[in-house]
Amino acid sequence: MTAVTAHGDSLRVATFNTELSRKGPGLLLRDIVGGDDPQVLATLDVIAEAKPDVLLLQGFDYDLTGEALAAYIAALRDYGLDYAYSFSARPNTGMPTGLDMDGNGKLGEPRDAQSYGRFSGQGGMAILSRHPIDIGAVQDFTELLWRDLPNALLPETEDGPFPSEEALAAQRLSTTNHWVVPIEVPEFGRLDIMAFQGSPPVFDGPEDRNGKRNHDETVFWQHYLAGHFGETETESFVLLGDINQDRRDGEGIKSAIINLLDDPRLQDPMPKSAGSETATGDPFDTVDWTDPVPGNLRVDYVLPSADWQVVDAGVLWPDPDSTLGQTVIAASRHRLVWVDIAR
């Protein structure tokens, strides 16, 4: 008996922070085509177990020609999963700014990029789909400046804007990307995938730069649904990703995630797992971080719009003593989260 049951006539949408990011450009491609990297193989096993129809990959290094993604899709095909359609675009991770973005008086460090990265594209995102993606209709908000978000919580100290007025004038909102990606599903029509990955609300100082950024990256979606960035549909979407925020536990400004999860325009299926319950007594966690701090938290979400019927949902986190449980541990600290939706 497997951890994930068949999903029949419904559509399975999943998010998975693979943590496949490597320390230099080209290294992920090397590890994929080599065919024997334990972590790469474990992530392939996890995805093959879940068999999502639409999958948001995170923690996956972006390269301009898409070679690593193409190699990974080919590897999934060997597992019997055919994702004929995909989308990715350059993330803000590692994108040079030429400015001191963390206020330590130095230039050219990973934290001086638009968001942390040893190289441009480190730890990007991609969407894989069994169904056609309308590439021409994709909305990409990755270049949106943080200060252009309504009521932005820009970091400040007693000395003024942090780290400087010049840095904030150049600072983009997205840690990785903010996308709206339309997918044409024959049985259900158009599905908008609203995808992002929030900044970890830690690794900063009293200015709470990362905490405020995480808050505003999440708040972005409510502004988007309200039409603040152009016309939008408030139905037939799924909002998903590693938000890096738990509404109850861990650090960060909780109001954004609470308001998002309570927004009547979407629904929270509250997926759970036996593995998480075994580990902590909380069945809803999605990541196994170092104990006691930050510990296990719920940070990965798949949130369908309110008009969808949720058929089933879960976190692929089986008993850690099982063979599959060991594979899941080898793949990533994050667990794949899936939701089955229908009309």
Side-chain angles (χ1 to χ4, degrees), residues 184-199:
E184 296 296 334
V185 183
E187 295 84 356
F188 305 122
R190 173 170 163 151
L191 165 68
D192 283 342
I193 294 293
M194 301 180 183
F196 80 119
Q197 181 175 352
S199 177

Side-chain angles (χ1 to χ4, degrees), residues 151-266:
N151 304 311
L153 296 181
L154 299 177
E156 295 184 351
T157 66
E158 293 180 355
D159 297 326
F162 180 89
S164 67
E165 185 68 48
E166 183 183 20
L168 284 186
Q171 179 66 72
R172 296 178 177 184
L173 173 66
S174 296
T175 296
T176 311
N177 304 94
H178 277 77
W179 297 330
V180 180
V181 178
I183 296 176
E184 296 296 334
V185 183
E187 295 84 356
F188 305 122
R190 173 170 163 151
L191 165 68
D192 283 342
I193 294 293
M194 301 180 183
F196 80 119
Q197 181 175 352
S199 177
V202 290
F203 310 123
D204 54 16
E207 81 288 342
D208 198 20
R209 177 175 179 253
N210 294 336
K212 291 177 177 178
R213 190 177 188 183
N214 174 279
H215 173 278
D216 282 1
E217 288 177 289
T218 306
V219 165
F220 166 86
W221 291 111
Q222 292 187 294
H223 287 298
Y224 172 80
L225 290 171
H228 293 166
F229 298 102
E231 293 186 10
T232 181
E233 295 290 338
T234 56
E235 295 183 339
S236 297
F237 68 82
V238 175
L239 195 162
L240 76 172
D242 172 7
I243 301 180
N244 262 314
Q245 189 57 266
D246 186 311
R247 71 180 294 159
R248 296 177 301 169
D249 301 321
E251 296 188 42
I253 303 171
K254 301 298 181 183
S255 56
I257 187 63
I258 290 172
N259 289 338
L260 184 69
L261 295 177
D262 292 344
D263 192 315
R265 291 170 293 194
L266 50 81

Side-chain angles (χ1 to χ4, degrees), residues 43-99:
T43 62
L44 293 169
D45 284 331
V46 168
I47 296 169
E49 178 69 23
K51 299 179 177 63
D53 298 299
V54 179
L55 172 64
L56 172 63
L57 285 178
Q58 294 157 97
F60 193 95
D61 294 342
Y62 171 85
D63 61 84
L64 185 61
T65 59
E67 288 186 67
L69 184 60
Y72 198 72
I73 292 171
L76 284 167
R77 196 173 298 121
D78 291 339
Y79 280 69
L81 299 175
D82 187 7
Y83 293 107
Y85 308 94
S86 64
F87 173 80
S88 190
R90 186 182 182 185
N92 285 329
T93 50
M95 183 180 291
T97 65
L99 300 170

